[in-house]
Every structure is written in C-alpha cells, then in structure tokens.
Amino acid sequence: MLYYSTNGQAPKATLGEAVVAGLAPDRGLYMPESIPTLPAAFFNNIDQMSLVDIAYVVSNTLFGKEIDSATLKDIVSKTLSFDIPLKKVDDRSYSLELFHGPTLAFKDVGARFMALLLGHFNRQDKTDKREVNVLVATSGDTGSAVANGFLGVDGVHVYVLYPKGKVSNIQESQFTTLGHNITAIAVRGTFDDCQALVKNAFMDQELREKLKLTSANSINIARFLPQSFYYFHAYARMKEKGIKDVVISVPSGNLGNLTAGLIAKRMGLPVKRFIAANNRNDVFFKYLQTGVYTPTHSIPTLANAMDVGDPSNFARILDLYSHNHDAITADITGYTYTDAQIEETMRRTIDTTGYLLDPHGATAYQALQDGLKPGETGVFLETAHPAKFKEKVEPIVYQIVNIPPRLQAFMDGKKEMTTLRPYFPSFKKFLLETAR
C-alpha cells in the first residue's frame, strides 16, 4: 500500500518512506491510499480473541504487504506486552484503561509500535547509515512514551520538546531523567510552539540535507494507526459482555487518538459513533458545531495533554470524510468542559462509584454522561494513570494517590534538559550542533 499527503502536492510514499519521513514534503500528513475492510468473520469471532491476536489481524490488514508475517507478529507482541482492561464504572459506562504500559499512558501503544517499526526499516536501509533523529513535541504523555519506547535503540536519537512549566512533575521526570539517546528541550512557550518548531524542522532544506529526521508525534503514520488496535479490543470485550450498541468517548487534543478510532470504524468496527471530549481548548468542538475551523493559541488547563489550539490530525479527519461536515458530524459529537466541571466530575465519580479518574478520562467520562442516548452503552478512554497528575488530583478528590513503583523510579532520577525560546533559528542551531 502507498501513502499520500493530505496536501496532495507530494509523491506517494511506501510505508517505510512515510515512517522515516514523518511529514510529507508538502507539509501534509500521510494517509493510506486505501483503507481495507475487515471481513465479517473477524467481527463474528472477535470476542474470543486476545488483544495481541486482534492487533495482529488489524496490523496485518494495514501493513501485511510491506512487512513479513514473522516480523509483524514480533512487533505486535513486543508492543502489547501489557494488558488493556475494560472496567465497569456505572451501569452504562466502561473505562478502557490504557495506562498499564511502561509509562502508564495510552501513547505507549503507538510509541512502542513506531519504535520497533522504525528500527526495522532503519536496519533495512543499506544506503543511509546516518543516525535517525526523532523529533517529538509533547504536552505531557507523548514525550515520556516516545522517549521510553526508543531508549537505548541503536542508531536513533530522540529530541523531546515540551512547554516549560506546563507539564506535570511526574510527566517531566519521565523524559528528562533518561539520558543516553534522549535529549529533553524545555521550550519557553506552549505545546503549539513546540509543534511548530518540529514542523519547521522538517521543512528546512539544510536540516533535511544534513540530518536524517523523523517525527514521533501522531503526525507519523506509525504512531497513530496502531492506536486503532485498542478500539477493536474495546469492542471485543463489550461484545463478550453481550453489549453491542457501543459509543466511544475520546479525550481529544491533537486528535490522533480520535482519528485512529475513525480509521477503525472505516475498517468495519461496528461502533455507533464517537464523542470528542474537549477541555477549554475547543477548536474542534466549535468546528463540529459550526463547520468553521479557527485555530487559536492553546489555553493551559487541568487536562494539560489536551491543551492544543491547532490540532494536527484535523487535516486527516477532513481528508477521511472528503471535507464533508455533515458526514463528520454523523460519526462524531462533541462536548467541552471547564476545569471546574472536570474537577466536579472527578469528585462525584469517586464518591458515587469509587472509580478514580485522571483529568483527561474525567472529560471523556462526563461527555458520555451527557451524550449517551437511551439503550446505548459507552466506553471512555482513561488515557493516563491518575498518579501522573498526583499534585492536581489529590486536592480535587481529597485522597492520597499512590505512585506506582515504575513512576517513582523516574521521580528519583536527576532531571536534565536544555531550555530554548520558541525561536526556530535557535532550535535549528541546537540540532546542527548536537545531532549526527
């Protein structure tokens, strides 16, 4: 299968070319030339399949012509070496707990898959033996997942750009204490500034000529497509319970997670619709309401991983639905919440159900409460362990949040980072001086 750019001005690329390049030469995002439909037999038997078995079928359908079966099975099994349980919260709502991986966040799935896939293609490239420099902008969890996924991988160096002072202490510890082939860059600005620096790096001719660059944000096809695996898994576990009218609520920031779900639906996943749950950064919510997309500066909120004012993957959603607003709103409804509303949801939920939500999961859970129709049952994505936001969660729910040993190990390490202004020439100079 070939991959085309959403901007339509770049040559089509193979999977390997798209993964290594990250962003298309015309600044567009790569999309698969066709989205295959899974056979009915797969969905008939999906409730009897494990997470790894489901992920292999989906990945083989997407990538099987580019990667041999043994390699793909190995990548999938190493990626999903942890469980993704579905927990009942109330009579109509289930939490898909995506925080049981190495960094306790949903991005472990896409980041680990991408690290293994990029390593595979890099080993196959006999013509360019330069080190691959992975650039990733993060509002919190992406940086830790990517950094840990690539830690120690030969021939790869990772640069993590994050907004200084705008991620949690634990999140920052997860990518600033690793050393080795991981470099953390604290940008005096917002996530959007970090993302702009990464995008500009890919468009700079001198950097492209001198360095082998790729991105590990959800702009990379290998980061966002594997996130479709757990939507099929969620449906399988719901079908196992005899529940079929399923609505899925997704905490939505850069829209990679939601886009992966929409790809799954296009492949035949029989969910009724998706809910895009926004915090105060509601540019996508406003688009759903009006059909007008107006990017803006991001606003710092309690659910900081969703603080995105110009979501990259909006371009993929438009492309997937041929820019048809009516078609998009047929599959997606939206809700937006203030910090005060998110806090109230967190308090009420633990008081009435005993379930502890992180701020992002709380946003998605509340959207289910507001969006479910009679006869429907919802799944919301709990995208990070509440302990990752310990300093925010504890005062809200009036409880101590225990830190899992894996997180404590990061916190005990020494933080090391370089601080830069959101000024591209400074970032370019730093890359040219440090990258190989």
Side-chain angles (χ1 to χ4, degrees), residues 46-67:
I46 195 171
D47 53 324
Q48 301 169 39
M49 300 172 67
S50 69
L51 169 60
V52 171
D53 289 340
I54 290 169
Y56 173 69
V57 171
V58 176
S59 61
N60 189 53
T61 303
L62 288 169
F63 309 127
K65 292 182 179 179
E66 289 87 1
I67 310 171

Side-chain angles (χ1 to χ4, degrees), residues 41-199:
F42 171 70
F43 294 106
N44 291 339
N45 300 305
I46 195 171
D47 53 324
Q48 301 169 39
M49 300 172 67
S50 69
L51 169 60
V52 171
D53 289 340
I54 290 169
Y56 173 69
V57 171
V58 176
S59 61
N60 189 53
T61 303
L62 288 169
F63 309 127
K65 292 182 179 179
E66 289 87 1
I67 310 171
D68 67 273
S69 178
T71 299
L72 192 55
K73 283 183 178 179
D74 185 58
I75 289 174
V76 169
S77 62
K78 287 179 178 176
T79 296
L80 298 169
S81 59
F82 51 90
D83 191 20
I84 301 179
L86 186 74
K87 299 284 185 68
K88 184 175 182 178
V89 177
D90 60 44
D91 288 342
R92 301 182 66 196
S93 304
Y94 289 79
S95 169
L96 187 67
E97 293 188 343
L98 294 165
F99 55 73
H100 293 271
T103 69
L104 282 73
F106 80 99
K107 294 177 181 178
D108 281 324
V109 175
R112 284 158 67 86
F113 189 95
M114 182 193 166
L116 293 163
L117 192 64
L118 181 60
H120 166 71
F121 285 125
N122 201 36
R123 287 190 298 273
Q124 286 193 327
D125 189 350
K126 306 300 183 184
T127 61
D128 189 349
K129 289 301 182 182
R130 291 177 299 170
E131 185 172 73
V132 177
N133 297 285
V134 178
L135 309 182
V136 58
T138 184
S139 54
D141 288 330
T142 297
S144 57
V146 169
N148 283 270
F150 281 94
L151 181 63
V153 175
D154 289 337
V156 177
H157 193 103
V158 177
Y159 292 85
V160 180
L161 290 79
Y162 68 102
K164 183 176 177 62
K166 295 181 175 66
V167 303
S168 76
N169 178 46
I170 293 177
Q171 286 175 318
E172 186 179 52
S173 296
Q174 286 186 300
F175 51 78
T176 59
T177 61
L178 300 176
H180 299 287
N181 61 326
I182 310 299
T183 298
I185 302 173
V187 177
R188 297 185 185 277
T190 66
F191 168 77
D192 296 320
D193 293 321
C194 298
Q195 188 163 251
L197 290 174
V198 169
K199 287 184 176 180

Side-chain angles (χ1 to χ4, degrees), residues 197-356:
L197 290 174
V198 169
K199 287 184 176 180
N200 286 333
F202 290 122
M203 295 301 106
D204 186 271
Q205 184 175 351
E206 183 180 8
L207 287 178
R208 291 203 314 270
E209 290 175 352
K210 292 186 175 180
L211 303 176
K212 194 173 182 180
L213 298 177
T214 191
S215 171
N217 281 92
S218 56
I219 61 174
N220 195 302
I221 203 84
R223 243 293 311 281
F224 101 92
L225 278 179
Q227 293 174 190
S228 65
F229 300 162
Y230 47 73
Y231 289 99
F232 292 97
H233 170 65
Y235 175 78
R237 305 291 73 87
M238 292 293 277
K239 188 181 179 206
E240 207 172 21
K241 300 176 186 297
I243 301 169
K244 294 183 179 179
D245 286 337
V246 179
V247 175
I248 300 180
S249 181
V250 185
S252 298
N254 213 24
L255 299 178
N257 212 3
L258 177 62
T259 306
L262 298 172
I263 293 285
K265 193 172 193 302
R266 190 63 60 90
M267 293 179 73
L269 181 68
V271 297
K272 292 191 68 176
R273 67 180 185 284
F274 289 89
I275 296 176
N278 292 149
N279 57 20
R280 285 185 61 208
N281 294 278
D282 57 358
V283 60
F284 185 59
F285 170 79
K286 288 178 179 176
Y287 166 77
L288 293 174
Q289 303 302 308
T290 66
V292 178
Y293 180 69
T294 309
T296 184
H297 293 293
S298 59
I299 303 167
T301 75
L302 177 64
N304 66 285
M306 297 154 60
D307 293 347
V308 183
D310 187 8
S312 292
N313 286 285
F314 178 70
R316 281 192 170 117
I317 293 176
L318 284 180
D319 186 86
L320 188 63
Y321 289 89
S322 302
H323 292 247
N324 187 322
H325 180 260
D326 289 340
I328 292 172
T329 55
D331 278 351
I332 312 168
T333 52
Y335 291 88
T336 180
Y337 300 99
T338 65
D339 280 0
Q341 290 172 315
I342 295 169
E343 290 179 11
E344 173 56 28
T345 297
M346 293 169 67
R347 280 191 293 268
R348 185 181 67 251
T349 304
I350 197 165
D351 288 344
T352 58
T353 71
Y355 193 83
L356 178 62

Side-chain angles (χ1 to χ4, degrees), residues 411-430:
M411 295 183 70
D412 292 340
K414 181 184 178 182
K415 293 182 181 180
E416 295 183 354
M417 77 287 291
T418 296
T419 301
L420 294 176
R421 292 182 298 128
Y423 180 55
F424 180 68
S426 298
F427 178 52
K428 176 180 176 178
K429 181 173 181 289
F430 181 76

